[in-house]
Amino acid sequence: MTIKAVDIKDLQLAEQGRSRIDWALQEMPVIRRLLEQFAERRPLQGGRISGCLHITTETANLARVLIAGGADLVLCTSNPLSTQDDVAAALVADFRIPVHAIRGEDTTVYYQHIKAAMEHAPQITLDDGADLISELHRSGGALLGDMIGGTEETTTGVIRLRAMARDGALKFPVIAVNDAMTKHLFDNRYGTGQSALDGIIRATNILLAGKVFCVVGYGWCGRGIAMRAKGHGAQVVITEVDPLRALEATMDGFQVMPLVEAAARSDFIVTATGDKHVLDAVHIEALKDGCVLANSGHFNVEINIPCLEKLAREKVRVRPFVDEYRFQDGRRIRLLAEGRLVNLAAAEGHPAAVMDTSFANQAMAVEYLVARRGSLANAVHAVPQQIDERVAQMKLHAMGIGIDRLTSEQQRYLQSWQEGT
Ligand code: ADE
């Protein structure tokens, strides 16, 4: 297999991509600030970075920060269906960043693109789902020697990396960007809340008001989806395996029930768990005619698609991003975006304003890794609190929002144990 220097759909799309990248940047004030600071300080000078991320307008603006900081960057996609081909073209044409990503690529090409990112011999990796780090550990061999560290953007990736660390398999330090407050509380909740519904609505154009809308999993993404579906006037049902989350969903005003019961009455079911086959044969058998299925988790494993294929009589693509599975008993089940991340496949992913804080954490985490080269253990590390707070401060400042400070009397009170009633 020969590795290409660049593998994108069409360089001619660059002008449109550049215009959309600049549009997104207007909603990314923290990234704009970091762009200036990194250009001035050059904290990543000469560092080889490979990023396996969704190739979107927002990622392009993160890439601008990294190269402004002096990085030698190569990008590949972290999902076969999420690449914005015009953005890939603009990254190559306008920013001279080698990109390996084509929307709709098959699994073989997907892994060729990851190989290309590995051939760059990165010292830092940026992952969204941990596929690049996993491949480096599986077949990277000598490449691991020069590694400084990596970052991970999403919940699913952090879970995989923690499993590697537990097994003693992780060969360099990784920062769990996902776990920063300024990432998951905003991106996972408000980003997924808006963009998952955006994908479902763009794909189906079905009114949500008055429909039964089931969210599988009440983590930060599930909470965001439920909140926004409720805002559309849907009757929201939550299914959970965790008693605390189920209780929280109940107190938040949602109906909670087992998925097999929800399946029989839902018009929409959206998975957001990070786990495999959460919607399985038993649920497929119970689904109501016309039900729309979508996945908002990182991998396309949450809905048991092979089982859907086996149980259905035929599959027809009825609209872009909508496959209708027709059953012997007359039921029609609609699967969106082949069960892949619906927000990135059928829409444009999270809006720039939330990726602003997520990617500010990414850029600052990379700078932190470089500054602490050789001193961090081969483990999954939290984003330092100072970085999290700095990102929040920068965002508030950009939004023109001031906050109060503790007085010295209040600070003393909070630190003392003598003072009571
Ligand atoms: N993940 C979710 N939304 C995204 C976006 N707009 N860009 C990059 N990664 C994302």
Short mmCIF file of all heavy atoms in Angstrom, two decimals, residues 54 56 58-59 128 343-344 348-350 355 359, ligand 1:
data_model
loop_
_atom_site.label_atom_id
_atom_site.label_comp_id
_atom_site.label_asym_id
_atom_site.label_seq_id
_atom_site.Cartn_x
_atom_site.Cartn_y
_atom_site.Cartn_z
N HIS A 54 -12.86 14.74 13.61
CA HIS A 54 -13.85 15.03 12.57
C HIS A 54 -13.34 16.24 11.78
O HIS A 54 -12.96 17.26 12.39
CB HIS A 54 -15.19 15.36 13.21
CG HIS A 54 -15.73 14.25 14.05
ND1 HIS A 54 -16.12 13.04 13.53
CD2 HIS A 54 -15.95 14.16 15.40
CE1 HIS A 54 -16.55 12.25 14.50
NE2 HIS A 54 -16.44 12.90 15.65
N THR A 56 -14.03 19.19 10.24
CA THR A 56 -15.13 20.17 10.17
C THR A 56 -14.53 21.58 10.19
O THR A 56 -13.33 21.75 10.43
CB THR A 56 -16.04 20.04 11.41
OG1 THR A 56 -15.26 20.40 12.56
CG2 THR A 56 -16.56 18.62 11.59
N GLU A 58 -14.84 23.69 12.49
CA GLU A 58 -14.32 23.98 13.83
C GLU A 58 -12.95 23.35 14.03
O GLU A 58 -12.03 23.97 14.57
CB GLU A 58 -15.30 23.47 14.90
CG GLU A 58 -16.64 24.18 14.93
CD GLU A 58 -17.56 23.81 13.77
OE1 GLU A 58 -17.42 22.71 13.22
OE2 GLU A 58 -18.43 24.64 13.41
N THR A 59 -12.80 22.12 13.53
CA THR A 59 -11.49 21.45 13.62
C THR A 59 -10.46 22.24 12.82
O THR A 59 -9.29 22.36 13.23
CB THR A 59 -11.60 20.01 13.09
OG1 THR A 59 -12.56 19.31 13.89
CG2 THR A 59 -10.27 19.28 13.14
N ASP A 128 -10.26 11.57 18.56
CA ASP A 128 -11.68 11.68 18.90
C ASP A 128 -12.25 10.28 18.73
O ASP A 128 -12.70 9.91 17.65
CB ASP A 128 -12.37 12.69 17.97
CG ASP A 128 -13.79 12.99 18.40
OD1 ASP A 128 -14.46 12.07 18.92
OD2 ASP A 128 -14.25 14.13 18.20
N ASN A 343 -25.43 13.71 14.34
CA ASN A 343 -25.18 15.16 14.28
C ASN A 343 -24.11 15.52 13.26
O ASN A 343 -24.18 16.56 12.62
CB ASN A 343 -24.83 15.72 15.66
CG ASN A 343 -23.55 15.12 16.22
OD1 ASN A 343 -23.12 14.06 15.79
ND2 ASN A 343 -22.96 15.79 17.19
N LEU A 344 -23.13 14.63 13.10
CA LEU A 344 -22.04 14.93 12.16
C LEU A 344 -22.33 14.37 10.77
O LEU A 344 -21.86 14.92 9.77
CB LEU A 344 -20.72 14.39 12.69
CG LEU A 344 -20.11 15.33 13.74
CD1 LEU A 344 -19.46 14.57 14.86
CD2 LEU A 344 -19.13 16.30 13.09
N GLU A 348 -24.02 19.30 10.73
CA GLU A 348 -22.62 19.76 10.68
C GLU A 348 -21.89 19.61 12.00
O GLU A 348 -20.89 20.29 12.24
CB GLU A 348 -22.59 21.23 10.24
CG GLU A 348 -23.05 21.42 8.81
CD GLU A 348 -23.25 22.88 8.45
OE1 GLU A 348 -22.27 23.63 8.47
OE2 GLU A 348 -24.40 23.27 8.19
N GLY A 349 -22.41 18.75 12.88
CA GLY A 349 -21.75 18.58 14.19
C GLY A 349 -22.12 19.74 15.10
O GLY A 349 -23.00 20.54 14.80
N HIS A 350 -21.41 19.82 16.21
CA HIS A 350 -21.72 20.87 17.19
C HIS A 350 -21.44 22.24 16.60
O HIS A 350 -20.44 22.43 15.89
CB HIS A 350 -20.84 20.72 18.43
CG HIS A 350 -21.01 19.43 19.15
ND1 HIS A 350 -22.04 18.56 18.91
CD2 HIS A 350 -20.27 18.88 20.14
CE1 HIS A 350 -21.92 17.52 19.72
NE2 HIS A 350 -20.85 17.69 20.46
N MET A 355 -17.70 24.28 20.25
CA MET A 355 -16.38 23.71 19.92
C MET A 355 -15.28 24.69 20.31
O MET A 355 -14.13 24.31 20.51
CB MET A 355 -16.29 23.36 18.43
CG MET A 355 -17.22 22.25 17.98
SD MET A 355 -17.29 20.81 19.05
CE MET A 355 -15.66 20.10 18.85
N PHE A 359 -12.20 22.95 21.93
CA PHE A 359 -10.92 22.97 21.21
C PHE A 359 -9.89 23.91 21.86
O PHE A 359 -8.69 23.73 21.68
CB PHE A 359 -11.14 23.29 19.74
CG PHE A 359 -11.64 22.09 18.95
CD1 PHE A 359 -12.20 22.26 17.67
CD2 PHE A 359 -11.54 20.81 19.44
CE1 PHE A 359 -12.63 21.16 16.93
CE2 PHE A 359 -11.98 19.70 18.71
CZ PHE A 359 -12.53 19.89 17.46
N1 ADE B 1 -17.63 16.76 17.38
C1 ADE B 1 -18.90 17.16 17.45
N2 ADE B 1 -19.10 18.25 16.70
C2 ADE B 1 -17.93 18.57 16.14
C3 ADE B 1 -17.51 19.60 15.26
N3 ADE B 1 -18.34 20.54 14.84
N4 ADE B 1 -16.22 19.61 14.89
C4 ADE B 1 -15.38 18.66 15.35
N5 ADE B 1 -15.71 17.67 16.17
C5 ADE B 1 -16.98 17.63 16.57
#
